[in-house]
Amino acid sequence: MMPGRLGLPIAQENPLWISWHDSNWIPILNPANIMEYFSEKSNPFYDRTCNNEIVRMQRQSLELLGNMTGVEYILLHVQDPILYVIRKQHRYSPTEATPLADYYIIAGTVYQAPDLASVFNSRILSTVHHLQSAFEEASSYSRYHPSKGYSWDFTSNKALAEKNKSEKSKETPAKEEPSSLFQRQRVDMLLGDLLRKFPLPLPQMHQTQNASHQNQNGNTGTNNADGHDSVNIKQEPVEHASIDPNDTGAGLLISGIKEETRSDMKPPPEKKIKM
């Protein structure tokens, strides 16, 4: 007999801890050949003394199982192509049969479904383990003093929490994976489509500036009371041009400026003669 994972024979090992599959069958599994796949000799869940093996050796149809008595396997549920459920049952008559075990096949791997007692035992054992761990942790914080009695001391817990926090802060942050070219192009396309459907509104300040600019361009002047148009002329500072003294016109201009400056200037006061 083949040894199991724990070094025990497969018959003595808990069937809830083992699984079986055949890689050659997995690509071609379908509801028509799933029972033949389950009947492989290497399958530890298959009982070769069942009625299915007798019908298989006689090369007869599986429809004859309803008229036989004994252990048999039937296809209970099909969710093609991923899930198949097979039931092992003991048939007493064409209308009476007692379920013994259920097996589910997921992606070609066969498992035995746990019974209700195994589920309860597992849940109860897990609950007891967590309760015991909680009581042990709570009792580790209790302190007793002859004059004060019992008290709680969580300083060790705070020190442990600070230590864990410092260790996490030292860890380097995980690097984010860069986006692919398809993701970037897809996002840009969606954003452009949304922008065309819902254009962004212009800011209020920008709208007022545009309106004032249009008014200035449209109305270059204003009408006075007498009907004449008055044009607003913007005065800009004029830079002083450089004057060439050799130029005759420039010389007249300079002499005129000198005469004007001489007429404006006051004569100096007369000097008194010292005796």
Side-chain angles (χ1 to χ4, degrees), residues 173-184:
K175 295 183 179 179
E176 296 182 357
E177 296 182 358
S179 59
S180 62
L181 180 62
F182 171 77
Q183 292 174 343
R184 292 194 294 270

Side-chain angles (χ1 to χ4, degrees), residues 19 46-47 67 71 76 79-80 87 93 101 129 138 155 165 185 193 199-201 216 236-239 256 265 267 274:
S19 62
Y46 182 68
D47 186 2
N67 300 326
V71 178
L76 184 64
Q79 187 176 344
D80 192 45
R87 171 168 289 180
S93 66
H129 170 71
T155 55
K165 186 177 180 179
Q185 292 178 350
D193 191 12
L200 296 175
Q216 291 177 2
E236 296 180 356
V238 180
E239 297 180 359
M265 294 178 59
K274 294 180 180 181

Side-chain angles (χ1 to χ4, degrees), residues 96-113:
E96 184 181 1
T98 302
L100 300 178
D102 288 338
Y103 306 93
Y104 55 95
I105 305 174
I106 299 179
T109 305
V110 184
Y111 306 90
Q112 180 173 340

Side-chain angles (χ1 to χ4, degrees), residues 28-97:
I28 58 174
L29 287 179
N30 55 66
N33 60 8
I34 193 66
M35 292 301 298
E36 185 178 359
Y37 172 68
F38 189 82
S39 302
E40 284 290 325
K41 294 181 180 180
S42 58
N43 184 9
F45 303 108
Y46 182 68
D47 186 2
R48 292 181 180 80
T49 61
C50 63
N51 295 337
N52 299 67
E53 188 69 17
I54 297 174
V55 173
R56 182 184 178 186
M57 292 175 63
Q58 295 177 0
R59 297 182 180 180
Q60 297 180 2
S61 175
L62 293 177
E63 297 178 356
L64 298 176
L65 293 175
N67 300 326
M68 303 174 65
T69 59
V71 178
E72 65 182 15
Y73 295 90
I74 62 171
L75 183 60
L76 184 64
H77 177 73
V78 174
Q79 187 176 344
D80 192 45
I82 191 68
L83 175 64
Y84 304 94
V85 179
I86 296 176
R87 171 168 289 180
K88 179 182 180 181
Q89 60 185 9
H90 192 283
R91 180 172 295 279
Y92 299 98
S93 66
T95 58
E96 184 181 1

